[in-house]
Amino acid sequence: MVRIAVVAPSCTLKREAAEAVQAIASARGDCELMIHPQSFLSEGHFAGSDADRLAALREVMADECVDAVWFARGGYGSNRIAETAVKDLPSAARTKTYLGYSDGGFLLAGLHKAGASVAHGPMVQDVVREGGPAAVNRALDWMVRGDPDALEAGVDGPALAFNLTVLSNLLGTSLEPDFSGADLLVEDVSEHLYRIDRTMFHLSSSPSVRKVRRLRLGRVSDVPDNDPAFGSDAEAIVRDWCTRSGIPFGGSADIGHDAANKVVPFGQSGF
Amino acid sequence: MVRIAVVAPSCTLKREAAEAVQAIASARGDCELMIHPQSFLSEGHFAGSDADRLAALREVMADECVDAVWFARGGYGSNRIAETAVKDLPSAARTKTYLGYSDGGFLLAGLHKAGASVAHGPMVQDVVREGGPAAVNRALDWMVRGDPDALEAGVDGPALAFNLTVLSNLLGTSLEPDFSGADLLVEDVSEHLYRIDRTMFHLSSSPSVRKVRRLRLGRVSDVPDNDPAFGSDAEAIVRDWCTRSGIPFGGSADIGHDAANKVVPFGQSGF
């Protein structure tokens, strides 16, 4: 029985999402889901204070009975605790798997850099999306048995996957990963095309990022209207900045803020 | 008669703004405003193609008859031409003043780094704001005669001023300025508080930015509603990240996306 702890380093988990995912886990019978009560806290924008979120995360990281730590949802806020969360990792923190995406990317970056095993993939609250149960089962299949069917199919070497805006905001910080030789997969949601263009300028102008093997583009969804029309689409924008910066463009990636979001383990693709 | 060239490195200048500012300049009689026809071009999001915007900018930069280059307006796009614009500066480009803000900050950064004299301050299209003519006259007072009354009053040493989001997007690029010992003034507009917090994380986590003498906060205006309420305001957010990062917080700055926006010359505050 694989034991999976759920914590919310960013925003508050909805009760109905937690219940739906508990029901899925119970029906599967191959995992035990321990949803930390911190997941339901609410303080301003966040699932509790920085201290609350940090304490819950550090608690499950240090727990030797926990096999995997699953981020409840994104939103915003994991960056506020990430640097402290990955300091002086307890040994039990290195032997478990961490799964999340979106704002959780700040933590994935820090944990990966600290030597833990992390993957970019569906979170608990994704269950409320259309087709969400499939995303949740994919995440569980990965955490429970490293199911290769959960993986993004194009990954054939060391990989990193991020929300584009989150990645831009961790460049130059202590969370920035080593991009050398990695496939870098990016996706984004609810950003204007002018912002995608600006963020791609920022990303592709970084000498560190230019060390990637190639950049692949996941879904860029729920793009608000640009006034006037931007004159280009997300793929053309990314191709343009890849050309300007000399980063090889590797085509599309099967990740995004949707139920089809596949799992991308950081570093080597093995479980 | 001071000759001021207007170009639009970002978005298209409105005809009515151009006419209103021409009328103000004519009435003053101490300057000649040469609005480059590129300012009125439109291609997708931008005031003409990258090539159009770059050519107009390089043309007025190299023109020995031009005393000052005034950016027509912000929006988005100057980053797409900034690196090329500041390469191999013609000698005439070093002896003139450049004025703008918001998206124009990408160019201010690049020009400052290349040794030109730049200042953060009102642009042509600000004339359409409430009280806009005062902003335009302030900009002209600065460009025509280096009027000390145009200056942000708190600047008492080397300074840099930026839109916070623009600054975040140029960190780590070839446009990043030397922050050592400078007063850094930031302002922002139309950004959610969670984005201000995230951007302040990014900014204040940069070892280069941590070399500033102090950080001062201009106006953060037109903030969209945060859902739920963020739990903090812009000043508290900036103070918090200053405390976390060891950057001295220097209080408020008299800059912003409004008609009261004062002039901040980069580097030493002399004209």
Side-chain angles (χ1 to χ4, degrees), chain B residues 26-67:
Chain B
S26 300
R28 290 172 60 105
D30 59 359
C31 58
E32 185 187 348
L33 215 61
M34 302 173 296
I35 303 184
H36 196 291
Q38 172 272 324
S39 306
F40 303 110
L41 294 181
S42 178
E43 182 168 323
H45 192 89
F46 310 104
S49 67
D50 290 350
D52 291 334
R53 302 194 320 282
L54 179 63
L57 177 59
R58 288 289 295 197
E59 179 191 329
V60 298
M61 285 167 67
D63 188 339
E64 292 185 3
C65 301
V66 169
D67 300 302

Side-chain angles (χ1 to χ4, degrees), chain A residues 44-45 50 76 79-80 106 165 168-169 171-173 191 195 197-198 201-202 205 207 226 228-230 240 244, chain B residues 44-45 50 76 79-80 165 168-169 171-173 191 194-195 197-198 201-202 205 207 226 228-230 240 244:
Chain A
H45 192 89
D50 290 351
Y76 169 69
N79 60 322
R80 298 179 53 90
F106 289 110
T165 301
S168 169
N169 277 285
L171 292 183
T173 76
E191 299 289 349
R195 289 184 186 258
D197 196 72
R198 190 170 60 189
F201 157 77
H202 184 226
S205 297
N226 207 84
F230 189 74
D240 178 35
R244 286 169 175 242
Chain B
H45 192 89
D50 290 350
Y76 170 67
N79 60 320
R80 298 180 54 91
T165 301
S168 169
N169 277 284
L171 292 182
T173 76
E191 298 289 349
Y194 84 86
R195 288 184 187 259
D197 197 71
R198 191 170 60 189
F201 157 77
H202 184 227
S205 297
N226 206 83
F230 189 74
D240 177 36
R244 287 169 175 242

